[in-house]
Amino acid sequence: MDLRQLRYFSTLAETLNFHRAAERLHMSQPPLTVAIRKLEEDLGVALFERDPRGVRLTAAGRAALDPAREALAAAERVREVVRQGAAGLRGRLSIGFIGSAIGELVPRIVSPFRQAYPQVELVLEEMNSVEIVRAIAARRLDLGLVRLPVLDSSPVEIDVIERDVLVAAIPREDALARRREVALGDLGERSFILYSSVSVLHAATRLACQRAGFVPRVAQEATQVQTILSLVEAGLGVALIPARSARFAGAGVRIVPLAEPIPIDMGLARAPGAGPVAANFVRAALALHDSEPISKPGK
């Protein structure tokens, strides 16, 4: 017994006429007659009573009709699920993200994606950028929101999805806080609050300071931007933070643009040849990026 035979049986049971059933099935009547007879032989029981006026279901046929319909419906559900999976409409997506993305970027991307693809299960995990890239390369994650540049050689593909620059966070009492912009070299005599050493922003800050001609004097390291800004507000030093994080600054912190902007973009990382669910997420994220203006220093 196969789905084709069940479809023939169900259609004939609904029409009770071989000719009309064959028309509905887009086939000629003789092959349908042969198929029904073969099904009855396989089952060892008659499903239809035949007479010159047509056919009618036997007791066995009536008992078989609902299960046959259920089997056909189940097969159609399998086809639909497979189609949805191939189109990326259904499945599971594991996404790594850095802490600074959770406040704005993650909701801005994830919320419309969930509305567009409600049957995709999203699993989010916070990591640093290097951990995310390595997890994607090892196929433990599908995608990752990372801070650029990622200083790791793992084979992943990365698209820029959010433009940003570094700005200076300076205690309000500091004389430099009154400037409209500040050269990075002017901060060389200040103590610095750095992101922890596992962060891309840690390496970016050190590299930027080196290019400006000095090595930053590190007073403290922290993981979260809110903590860094609190330490700046306490007067422990200055910091370089992404412009998009400036909204977390308290009243005692002045955000001052750098005279020479330092890009510090956000990227969406994925393994080469990512599946259709991941591809849909990437397209949605890139569409948001294309429609959004680049952030301005100090805004």
Side-chain angles (χ1 to χ4, degrees):
M1 185 188 307
D2 57 33
L3 291 175
R4 177 183 57 84
Q5 290 175 307
L6 291 181
R7 186 167 63 253
Y8 291 173
F9 163 68
S10 178
T11 303
L12 181 57
E14 292 170 2
T15 61
L16 296 177
N17 183 285
F18 273 97
H19 179 71
R20 290 198 298 271
E23 287 184 338
R24 185 181 296 184
L25 291 166
H26 305 290
M27 61 187 301
S28 61
Q29 182 175 332
L32 175 61
T33 302
V34 172
I36 294 297
R37 185 176 298 115
K38 178 66 167 56
L39 175 60
E40 291 175 320
E41 291 174 356
D42 291 343
L43 294 173
V45 63
L47 298 173
F48 297 94
E49 293 180 359
R50 298 155 174 84
D51 59 43
R53 292 171 298 179
V55 297
R56 59 180 180 272
L57 286 166
T58 64
R62 289 193 297 271
L65 183 56
D66 284 344
R69 288 170 171 167
E70 291 170 2
L72 291 170
E76 186 56 37
R77 287 194 296 272
V78 171
R79 292 191 187 94
E80 179 63 15
V81 168
V82 169
R83 185 191 67 80
Q84 290 178 347
L89 303 177
R90 178 189 293 269
R92 183 178 186 274
L93 198 60
S94 57
I95 305 172
F97 65 92
I98 60 173
S100 59
I102 192 63
E104 180 182 350
L105 184 58
V106 169
R108 183 158 52 85
I109 296 176
V110 168
S111 180
F113 180 82
R114 286 178 59 84
Q115 293 177 16
Y117 301 93
Q119 297 187 83
V120 173
E121 177 189 2
L122 295 179
V123 180
L124 281 75
E125 183 175 356
E126 183 176 358
M127 302 178 178
N128 65 56
S129 294
V130 172
E131 290 173 336
I132 289 172
V133 167
R134 291 175 180 173
I136 292 173
R139 302 290 179 167
R140 296 193 302 272
L141 287 177
D142 298 306
L143 300 168
L145 298 170
V146 298
R147 180 69 68 181
L148 303 178
V150 178
L151 306 179
D152 188 273
S153 59
S154 298
V156 300
E157 298 176 354
I158 300 178
D159 295 292
V160 174
I161 59 170
E162 183 177 84
R163 299 289 185 182
D164 209 348
V165 293
L166 288 177
V167 293
I170 304 173
R172 187 166 291 277
E173 296 78 12
D174 192 306
L176 294 177
R178 293 191 291 272
R179 295 187 181 181
R180 294 180 62 85
E181 64 179 24
V182 63
L184 183 54
D186 294 339
L187 301 176
E189 298 301 318
R190 269 62 174 180
S191 296
F192 270 72
I193 313 298
L194 291 189
Y195 284 87
S196 60
S197 58
V198 298
S199 170
V200 169
L201 291 172
H202 178 101
T205 298
R206 284 191 173 275
L207 180 59
C209 292
Q210 180 182 343
R211 289 174 175 171
F214 69 95
V215 176
R217 292 183 297 154
V218 181
Q220 186 74 40
E221 292 187 1
T223 302
Q224 300 296 330
V225 67
Q226 293 92 331
T227 305
I228 289 174
L229 290 169
S230 294
L231 295 173
V232 171
E233 190 168 18
L236 296 182
V238 300
L240 298 184
I241 67 168
R244 289 180 181 271
S245 299
R247 69 186 186 279
F248 297 116
V253 178
R254 175 85 162 85
I255 302 299
V256 183
L258 296 175
E260 297 183 4
I262 301 170
I264 190 74
D265 301 332
M266 288 288 295
L268 181 58
R270 66 188 185 278
V277 178
N280 285 343
F281 189 94
V282 171
R283 278 194 293 271
L286 291 178
L288 285 171
H289 166 63
D290 292 339
S291 64
E292 182 194 25
I294 296 175
S295 98
K296 302 297 183 181
K299 298 296 184 182

